[in-house]
Amino acid sequence: MALLKETDFGTPAKQGAPVTLTIDGVDVTVPEGTSIMRAASQIDRPIPKLCATDSLDPWGSCRMCLVEVEGVKGTPASCTTPVRAGMVVTTQNDRLAKIRKGVMELYISDHPLDCLTCAANGDCELQDMAGAVGLREVRYGMDGANHFEAESRKPVDTSNPYFQFDPAKCIVCSRCVRACEEVQGTFALTIDGRGFASMVSAGTQIDDFFSSECVSCGACVQACPTATLMEASVVAKGVPTRSVETTCAYCGVGCSFKAELQGDQVVRMVPQKSGGANEGHSCVKGRFAWGYATHKDRVTTPMVRDAITDPWRAVSWDEAIGFAADRFKKIQAEHGKGAIGGITSSRCTNEEVYVVQKMIRAAFGNNNVDTCARVCHSPTGYGLKTTFGTSAGTQNFKSVEKADVILLIGANPTDGHPVFASRMKKRLREGAQIIVLDPRRIDLVKSPHIKAAHHVQLRPGTNVAVMNALAHTIVTEGLVDEKFVAERCEDADFDRWRAFVAEERNSPETLAERIGVEPETLRAAARLFATAGNGAIYYGLGVTEHSQGSTMVMAMANLAMATGNIGREGVGVNPLRGQNNVQGSCDMGSFPHEFPGYRHVSDAATRDLFEKAWGRPLLAEPGLRIPNMLAAAIDGTYRGIFVQGEDIAQSDPNTVHVTAALEAMDCVVVQDLFLNETAGYAHVFLPGTSFLEKDGTFTNAERRINRVRPVMKEATGLSEWEAVSRLAAAMGYDGMTYASAAEIMDEIAALTPTFAGVSHARLDSGASLQWPVNAAAPDGTPTMHKDGFVRGKGRFMVTEYVATDERTNRHFPLILTTGRILSQYNVGAQTRRTENGRWHAEDVLEVHPHDAEERGIGEGDMVSIGSRIGATVLRATITDRVPQGVVYTTFHHPVSGANVITTEFSDWATNCPEYKVTAVQVTKSNQPSDWQEHFRDVHERQFVVAAE
Ligand code: SF4
Ligand code: SF4
Ligand code: SF4
Ligand code: FES
């Protein structure tokens, strides 16, 4: 596709009653509140502009967009003037042309005329506008005071690895400052000085972008109409010439992008305005951190080895697949069909995930398939299915724009889901309130123009107690939405729940000490949520990764139903999914007990459907979950595993146990981009494809099915689904002979009622679909449970609080909890191979000043952190973001070994690990832990590739 330019209408779209006016003799009808500029653009009468762009509120500073309006004196700015019924507007005549030319002359007289060598040549709005107004000369000459001559020119700021700032080219239109405020919500930029001295500033003493508050989202770069703020990649490579529309492969927000290329080289990623999830915004990862796709560490050739201590040997695809199939078949012959299985990846496309679970069920002949969602959002599936009837969030992201109060639980969107966080912050700036439930003081508790109404700074592990205390307040203070409950929910279940939460043992006063929060705060938070209007719940892994993760999900569903906050815009219960395709990998049948579409394997009709389609008998009993696979491996009954795009040796709890299990197996097959930690224990490495090479779909946290299109050819010579299909064939199953990823989606749609109306062709024609997409909802379902719950009536569940078995004591007096940071992503395999490492080169341990002082720990000291399971060594940072008694770290670097410490306690219903609560002791240390020594040793022995 040629370079795709999305129209800039100059000012944002409005919603309002239709208004008809006349522009240049043409009648046009637009919503009330629309600017003249936007209305003119809609009838293809674009008005010259510089300070306006349609992602920002109008500013009215450049005076380029002046028009004439009948009956109005002077020449109003079309960007700041809203339409009126009957208005008669002239956008172009000699008088207007003269004014615009004069304005442009002033701009150009203080602008370097180096267009031919400028990085933005051909992609510069200033250049375009000079052409549009017919400027041919600058009458004032270029010799006056200016910002571009050597003596007055400020140096170019190249401190940010992804974009540069060249002050000499700035026209002080303020679009960057406004983008940082209105779109991103970070407020990192300001205009310093007055008049001629006005200058964009990143507001720090050294005044560079890297050391400022800037989070490198790139919104300012996108908004800048000149080459002042410019991607470093464009400066280096030149302007792109073609575009491919695709989807970010990092988090569950699922932002749409245009990959802009020269040939098959990506020059930049530009977030798409038409993207339903992001509407033109992005974060540092999606916009800039795509270089890992061509990183030198990529392995693009299949490799095998007999033993994990042998060097890797590069082989052909046929040899690698034959090697894996022979080993799997041998294991099954000697130890039974159930001795092998596999894990799907939430980083892969729906189509890639679907073929892996199909291979396991149909070619391996068992249900031993699980997914990385086991360790993140499996409680979401269980809890929401039990209460509402389906395993997914209830809203689209846009819904937050109608929320009046947001209950944010165990999620840190500004780091984990940044583009959604920007939407949320915008709504908060408009006046909505937020209640934050988190042990840590995340940015949404307090940041520029944001202040939480309540920060419920609970003790880790007491989520359910908090929810019961909130529910107690709502029930006993008469705040239940009785009408909603009577019409929409099961009576008996509600009565049981009401009686349960009303018990005194669930009151804020009784639970306050356990929770560590004043009862009045809990009561005030409950009252606010129940009475402020539309109440929306958003949550993350701080909810699910607990021994009561599933109970907590049901507790949130109870709260939403009790307050009538479900089934319309602005409300709902919404998981913020971690990885790009967590929703999709679960939808595609990755759990051992469910076929695609969440249908239980014991259901005879569903089994019959799949048996007929796949031509193989299928088991009615659920297979093994990941923890069961690992335990069985240590017992010797489970001996082979196919691991798709997941690094369980780094991401799963109790690393020593995981690696012992991997070490015990006869055949570990890893399909991934890089030799990850799990590959250290593998016998076969099948090179995977990056998102820039994939063809398929991802499903984001809103259930939105987004197209992922190949931007470049596979570096490996084979797509992932083809490699899996060939492995299935080598295992003796010939039911996976697909010609394309689109064919795989056709099979998914034919077998999965919620996907019935989905196809690549439909998505390619511009449809943006949120499942269910079927006869009842041909265009998808942005809001779930509108006229009734998927299960019929909503089901309240009694949520007894049960403290975790993981307890602090004198030996392990602190609680470790974990999370993410903005610049890194998950186990860091991708982001560590980009410039993002500049922001977070190592995982550090946050320690409260009091706990640090007690232990003699200073800022930057190396500390040993030990639990009942293991110990590792990290650098400490002293901060009161964590409360006393709690320490916090991230897990983006393998050598940190965060999961060497985490225990095997898990959610009672789903086995989702209890990552968020580990009792630990922290002491000063100046040497690596035993595990870290072992880690280095393993790398020396097991990551060796034989010389060619
Ligand atoms: S990159 Fe984003 S955060 Fe940084 S200054 Fe620009 S808009 Fe603000
Ligand atoms: S940096 Fe760009 S967007 Fe910002 S004021 Fe200057 S020209 Fe305008
Ligand atoms: S918010 Fe998530 S999906 Fe969007 S650009 Fe950032 S990492 Fe990608
Ligand atoms: S575009 Fe209207 S005043 Fe600048």
Side-chain angles (χ1 to χ4, degrees), residues 163 180 184 186 188-189 209 214-220:
F163 60 85
C180 193
Q184 167 56 24
T186 292
L189 300 179
F209 272 78
C214 166
V215 293
S216 293
C217 71
C220 56

Side-chain angles (χ1 to χ4, degrees), residues 830-850:
Q830 292 139 290
T831 43
R832 277 186 283 113
R833 291 179 171 95
T834 69
E835 292 288 335
N836 279 26
R838 295 257 307 267
W839 285 278
H840 187 76
E842 62 179 337
D843 295 314
V844 293
L845 187 73
E846 291 185 359
V847 186
H848 187 271
H850 179 87

Side-chain angles (χ1 to χ4, degrees), residues 51-284:
C51 69
T53 186
D54 60 11
S55 58
L56 304 173
D57 288 338
W59 187 245
S61 70
C62 74
R63 315 307 288 169
M64 280 294 290
C65 67
L66 307 183
V67 290
E68 289 181 354
V69 178
E70 253 182 44
V72 173
K73 270 193 182 166
T75 48
S78 63
C79 62
T80 49
T81 310
V83 296
R84 266 185 296 104
M87 216 177 207
V88 178
V89 179
T90 301
T91 69
Q92 191 65 32
N93 60 26
D94 290 348
R95 177 185 178 217
L96 291 170
K98 195 170 168 206
I99 298 173
R100 289 179 191 147
K101 206 184 265 193
V103 171
M104 182 53 86
E105 250 181 305
L106 287 171
Y107 276 113
I108 297 297
S109 68
D110 187 14
H111 196 83
L113 293 181
D114 58 358
C115 291
L116 280 183
T117 51
C118 177
N121 190 17
D123 184 27
C124 171
E125 285 183 50
L126 185 69
Q127 196 179 43
D128 292 348
M129 289 307 131
V133 302
L135 188 71
R136 300 286 173 259
E137 60 171 342
V138 176
R139 285 168 296 164
Y140 321 113
M142 308 291 289
D143 304 329
N146 63 55
H147 296 90
F148 58 81
E149 293 290 3
E151 58 276 12
S152 53
R153 190 167 191 148
K154 283 203 160 187
V156 180
D157 176 357
T158 54
S159 60
N160 187 297
Y162 294 123
F163 60 85
Q164 67 173 39
F165 174 64
D166 182 354
K169 293 181 173 165
C170 181
I171 58 170
V172 202
C173 66
S174 193
R175 272 161 66 161
C176 54
V177 179
R178 289 179 286 137
C180 193
E181 293 174 2
E182 294 174 31
V183 180
Q184 167 56 24
T186 292
F187 294 81
L189 300 179
T190 183
I191 303 280
D192 267 355
R194 283 162 168 253
F196 180 75
S198 301
M199 187 63 70
V200 171
S201 161
T204 54
Q205 279 188 339
I206 31 180
D207 199 14
D208 75 28
F209 272 78
F210 190 75
S211 43
S212 74
E213 295 296 314
C214 166
V215 293
S216 293
C217 71
C220 56
V221 181
Q222 190 169 336
C224 181
T226 66
T228 313
L229 282 160
M230 178 58 83
E231 293 94 345
S233 56
V234 176
V235 176
K237 295 176 181 169
V239 291
T241 54
R242 68 185 189 96
S243 317
V244 178
E245 294 167 82
T246 191
T247 304
C248 177
Y250 280 114
C251 84
V253 177
C255 297
S256 298
F257 278 88
K258 293 177 287 180
E260 295 193 344
L261 302 103
Q262 285 177 348
D264 69 349
Q265 266 207 329
V266 178
V267 176
R268 68 178 166 196
M269 298 290 284
V270 179
Q272 241 178 321
K273 284 200 290 187
S274 58
N278 56 322
E279 295 186 340
H281 192 34
S282 75
C283 79
V284 60

Side-chain angles (χ1 to χ4, degrees), residues 547-607:
S547 60
Q548 283 204 287
S550 292
T551 314
M552 179 62 184
V553 174
M554 295 189 286
M556 295 184 304
N558 291 338
L559 203 73
M561 290 189 287
T563 52
N565 278 312
I566 199 87
R568 63 180 187 278
E569 288 189 341
V571 299
V573 180
N574 299 285
L576 296 173
R577 305 285 191 161
Q579 305 203 71
N580 50 327
N581 200 32
V582 180
Q583 182 67 55
S585 73
C586 298
D587 300 343
M588 291 299 107
S590 289
F591 289 122
H593 64 292
E594 285 170 340
F595 287 117
Y598 304 99
R599 288 161 294 167
H600 205 276
V601 292
S602 63
D603 180 65
T606 307
R607 238 179 19 260

